[in-house]
Amino acid sequence: MIPDWLPPVLDYMLKGLRATLWIAFLSTLFATLLGVAIGVTTVARSRFLRYVGLIYVDIFRGVPSLLVLLFVFFSLPQMGVSTSPLVASVLGLATWGAANIAEITRGAVQSVPRTQEQGAEALGMGRWDTLVYVVAPQAVRRFLPPYVGQVTVLIQATALTSIVGVVDVLGSARQMMDRLSYVDGNSHAIAIYGLVLVAFFAICYPLTLLAQWLEGRLRT
Amino acid sequence: MTIGFGDELVRLLHGLGASLLISAIGIALALIIGCFLGALRYSGLPIVTQLIAIYVNFFRCTPLIVHIFFLYFGLPEIGVKLSPFQTGWISLALWGGAYQVESFRAGFKAVPPQEIVAARALGMSALKSFRYVTLPLGVRVSVPAAATVTLTQFRSSAFMVAIGYAELTSVANKIVSETYAVLSVFGTAALMYLVVCMLMSYGARRLERSLSVPGMGALR
């Protein structure tokens, strides 16, 4: 039943899928670390820090992810850093994703009523202790649902890395289509793109369900 | 590295024009799809609701870039040949439409049930109460969410670089490959995206303020 062109394509696309997952994991990790840090600066007391954070968020949320990716991809070699497309992609996606995560962090922190901080201050807690022990545990409820949504956005954005030459699930699919059309004259484009769509759906749909479930559960 | 910027700037502005054109068509169609299907999904009609849910979940859980490739490289297999321009606006409309369905459905759901009960008590049919009560109120509540989607659609028009449609990011990418002036060219393109996004969000905020329903709103 299985057409003979399919097994090698699937085999190669699974390698691509592994690259997609790896890029998604690394960009999510770095975007989260950077994003939460920047999000915290946007609610800092120091006006300077606040502005730096807000400017970062406004710039990177206002430009297309692909533009950031291309910029990082082309500017790294000019700065004398020669890296693989994969590293450039992770850097680009993380820089861009961090802005969105920073905005989510800011919203979550601001959703905690001011009185909580005032109470902590009255108890003699320092600014940092207040943030860690009082604000953060309450902000997490508002943070998690949109954060999970943002992770699906980042996973989907990894498909853009095929444009700069990463052999991710989409890149591998495109290479196989080129090969098939060269060998048999039929690229099987609909079937192969269909497989790519199914792969992304299978990863992202459970995550959107998780986001919905979290939203229902963590509603205060 | 310095380059004569006059010529490049004109090319970038042409690119911006092309971005605005496909975005405008995609955005308008997505709003129509969103309002119409959002109303149908809100209605809870059996089968129709499930079909719309499949459309929404599928498009929200798969990357736009794969839809673009599917439309442009996949459909010719069954004899449907789309130009880069057509692929651009169709993909933006279908993808954005899925997000707009949710914006509008949330808006309709935010209309207090008392309003609808009151409309029905006045002898309006279900359809009439939707047309004269839920629709006008719901659409007004939907404005902020719909505006967010609209901005994302504009930024995502950059993805058409993958099929060679000469929008802003493609033009910038081309100029960079000719001149290697990464920072100035991508920087200018980024500035153009930022300015358009700022103008759009300013417009959206004004619209939001003038349309906000007293005592409702405050959604999201």
Side-chain angles (χ1 to χ4, degrees):
Chain A
M1 274 328 272
I2 299 168
D4 7 316
W5 59 268
L6 190 58
V9 171
L10 274 182
D11 200 42
Y12 194 57
M13 279 176 68
L14 277 176
K15 286 201 188 102
L17 185 62
R18 217 171 300 153
T20 293
L21 291 174
W22 184 227
I23 297 170
F25 171 72
L26 289 177
S27 2
T28 304
L29 179 70
F30 292 127
T32 306
L33 295 175
L34 186 63
V36 171
I38 294 171
V40 171
T41 67
T42 61
V43 289
R45 277 227 180 114
S46 139
R47 181 177 293 184
F48 173 73
L49 276 180
R50 233 172 29 229
Y51 280 147
V52 170
L54 287 173
I55 288 171
Y56 182 94
V57 170
D58 278 350
I59 288 180
F60 284 99
R61 271 166 54 93
V63 297
S65 46
L66 184 55
L67 191 68
V68 180
L69 198 64
L70 289 172
F71 177 77
V72 172
F73 181 71
F74 284 111
S75 64
L76 282 180
Q78 281 202 351
M79 294 190 296
V81 186
S82 70
T83 54
S84 63
L86 195 143
V87 174
S89 297
V90 169
L91 276 178
L93 290 176
T95 319
W96 174 78
N100 291 308
I101 292 174
E103 184 64 12
I104 294 169
T105 309
R106 189 167 76 101
V109 170
Q110 282 180 341
S111 73
V112 178
R114 263 258 119 81
T115 46
Q116 295 287 318
E117 279 173 66
Q118 288 160 355
E121 204 182 332
L123 288 172
M125 289 174 81
R127 178 81 180 144
W128 191 247
D129 280 356
T130 308
L131 188 66
V132 174
Y133 296 110
V134 178
V135 177
Q138 301 183 65
V140 163
R141 297 171 160 268
R142 279 293 185 89
F143 176 80
L144 274 183
Y147 172 73
V148 175
Q150 190 55 41
V151 170
T152 67
V153 170
L154 262 176
I155 292 172
Q156 293 186 33
T158 62
L160 296 171
T161 62
S162 64
I163 293 177
V164 297
V166 173
V167 187
D168 69 329
V169 68
L170 180 57
S172 63
R174 290 179 54 77
Q175 285 184 353
M176 281 324 252
M177 276 181 265
D178 285 347
R179 187 164 172 271
L180 284 174
S181 67
Y182 179 70
V183 178
D184 327 332
N186 182 354
S187 67
H188 299 284
I190 290 187
I192 296 180
Y193 281 126
L195 285 173
V196 177
L197 290 170
V198 168
F200 275 104
F201 188 81
I203 300 168
C204 294
Y205 187 60
L207 284 173
T208 60
L209 291 181
L210 175 68
Q212 276 168 23
W213 180 78
L214 282 171
E215 199 165 346
R217 218 188 122 98
L218 298 178
R219 181 161 287 154
T220 32
Chain B
M1 203 175 299
T2 44
I3 47 166
F5 224 100
D7 218 23
E8 277 76 12
L9 193 60
V10 173
R11 284 168 70 189
L12 286 175
L13 283 171
H14 274 289
L16 178 63
S19 293
L20 287 172
L21 180 64
I22 49 167
S23 307
I25 303 174
I27 287 166
L29 289 174
L31 286 170
I32 296 169
I33 294 173
C35 189
F36 186 67
L37 296 187
L40 279 178
R41 193 168 183 194
Y42 168 80
S43 75
L45 286 174
I47 302 169
V48 181
T49 316
Q50 279 81 12
L51 287 176
I52 297 170
I54 291 172
Y55 161 66
V56 169
N57 287 325
F58 178 76
F59 275 84
R60 281 165 60 111
C61 292
T62 47
L64 173 60
I65 186 79
V66 185
H67 307 157
I68 295 167
F69 280 135
F70 186 89
L71 290 176
Y72 191 67
F73 296 109
L75 289 188
E77 208 173 90
I78 49 165
V80 182
K81 279 207 165 71
L82 299 172
S83 68
F85 172 70
Q86 289 166 327
T87 309
W89 63 260
I90 293 173
S91 58
L92 281 177
L94 289 176
W95 178 76
Y99 283 85
Q100 295 294 30
V101 169
E102 289 303 278
S103 316
F104 282 101
R105 187 176 69 135
F108 297 140
K109 263 171 72 179
V111 175
Q114 305 91 294
E115 302 274 346
I116 299 155
V117 174
R120 298 303 299 276
L122 287 172
M124 286 187 184
S125 65
L127 207 60
K128 265 197 166 161
S129 88
F130 182 80
R131 165 67 189 80
Y132 293 105
V133 180
T134 315
L135 184 70
L137 286 173
V139 166
R140 286 162 72 179
V141 181
S142 312
V143 171
T148 309
V149 176
T150 294
L151 279 157
T152 309
Q153 275 180 290
F154 168 64
R155 286 192 295 265
S156 302
S157 66
F159 297 1
M160 305 313 156
V161 81
I163 51 168
Y165 179 66
E167 46 67 57
L168 184 49
T169 302
S170 312
V171 173
N173 197 30
K174 192 137 187 282
I175 298 176
V176 166
S177 64
E178 291 162 8
T179 64
Y180 300 106
V182 178
L183 187 66
S184 54
V185 173
F186 281 140
T188 311
L191 207 63
M192 289 179 177
Y193 279 111
L194 282 172
V195 168
V196 173
C197 282
M198 264 164 56
L199 290 175
M200 282 170 76
S201 63
Y202 174 74
R205 269 204 304 278
R206 289 208 48 167
L207 191 68
E208 198 182 316
R209 212 170 316 144
S210 62
L211 290 181
S212 74
V213 184
M216 275 178 62
L219 255 165
R220 291 205 167 213

